[in-house]
Amino acid sequence: MPHEARNFDHLLGKGILSDNQLKQHFTLYQGYVKKINEIEEKLGKTDNSAANYSFNEYSELKRREPVPFNGTYLHELYFENLVGPGAQPSDALKKAATDSFGTWDDFIKDARAAGTSTTGWVLTTRSRVDGKLHNYICYEHHLNIPVHQDIVMALDCWEHAFMIDFGIKKADYFDAFFKNVDWKMVSSRLDKYSKYTR
Ligand SMILES: [Fe+2]
């Protein structure tokens, strides 16, 4: 079944990121949705009997399949948790952050440091291994993602996410993000995943 781009226009006009910044980001996201549909359609028609590590059409499609797939669904996680003015973290989220990082401020500090360390994504996860929160970084959309993780917060650190509004001032982008992140959404994800074990 084809993947469908969701509409995130409700984020426009909130003043956290400019409409121009957001609209260009939406267009980029929609491009990933088109590409995952294209790859899945081609995989359905491509002969896999001559798959090859060096080069083969089927093999290349398989190598790129996770890029637009994660490009689609990581962006949805990000847009979902981007703007929640006034939203407060649940007691469970505050406890998880404290248990995992020492204090809430240490959690935010670590997430920002993680973001400074990557040109890709910060994924705050609840690990099925130890039940704690972790700030992992990944590159592009498909590299460096650990197993046994459920994503509770996604922070897009690609330059396209902030260059229009903040230039190279990534720290200012993080200021804006953490002032406005939808902690209610992040809390609800943690609640949903909290029973999972590996
Ligand atoms: Fe992005």
Side-chain angles (χ1 to χ4, degrees):
M1 182 173 165
H3 304 268
E4 287 186 21
R6 288 168 54 188
N7 186 308
F8 289 98
D9 284 352
H10 64 280
L11 298 175
L12 300 173
K14 297 290 197 296
I16 293 129
L17 293 163
S18 70
D19 285 4
N20 183 25
Q21 176 76 72
L22 284 168
K23 283 180 179 176
Q24 295 206 41
H25 211 166
F26 296 160
T27 301
L28 189 143
Y29 152 68
Q30 290 155 7
Y32 287 120
V33 178
K34 282 184 190 152
K35 278 293 171 189
I36 188 55
N37 285 329
E38 182 183 335
I39 286 178
E40 289 187 358
E41 186 184 351
K42 285 184 176 171
L43 278 169
K45 299 175 184 167
T46 304
D47 177 18
N48 63 2
S49 61
N52 185 282
Y53 176 70
S54 294
F55 175 76
N56 168 266
E57 186 179 354
Y58 168 85
S59 301
E60 288 306 315
L61 288 166
K62 289 306 288 179
R63 288 181 188 119
R64 299 308 291 178
E65 184 180 20
V67 176
F69 184 90
N70 284 5
T72 295
Y73 291 104
L74 286 177
H75 276 106
E76 291 189 0
L77 288 165
Y78 169 72
F79 292 137
E80 278 178 358
N81 66 217
L82 184 57
V83 178
Q88 297 298 313
S90 66
D91 289 344
L93 178 58
K94 286 190 272 191
K95 182 177 185 313
T98 302
D99 290 347
S100 306
F101 293 92
T103 67
W104 178 264
D105 288 347
D106 286 332
F107 160 55
I108 301 297
K109 185 181 175 191
D110 188 74
R112 292 178 63 116
T116 306
S117 307
T118 185
T119 53
W121 291 86
V122 172
L123 303 177
T124 300
T125 68
R126 180 196 172 275
S127 173
R128 298 187 187 196
V129 176
D130 62 10
K132 291 189 172 183
L133 298 182
H134 294 261
N135 293 315
Y136 287 113
I137 60 175
C138 70
Y139 304 96
E140 295 193 46
H141 300 307
H142 63 310
L143 302 173
N144 218 52
I145 299 178
V147 298
H148 292 315
Q149 306 299 317
D150 294 303
I151 300 167
V152 297
M153 185 180 75
L155 169 54
D156 192 336
C157 297
W158 289 59
E159 289 178 343
H160 66 244
F162 61 88
M163 280 292 280
I164 293 169
D165 287 353
F166 297 103
I168 61 170
K169 294 179 179 171
K170 204 174 187 181
D172 291 357
Y173 166 58
F174 291 158
D175 287 345
F177 178 83
F178 283 107
K179 270 183 203 153
N180 295 285
V181 60
D182 188 349
W183 292 121
K184 193 174 171 191
M185 172 60 72
V186 178
S187 301
S188 72
R189 289 175 184 155
L190 178 65
D191 184 52
K192 183 166 66 175
Y193 300 139
S194 62
K195 56 185 156 310
Y196 293 163
T197 56
R198 73 188 154 99

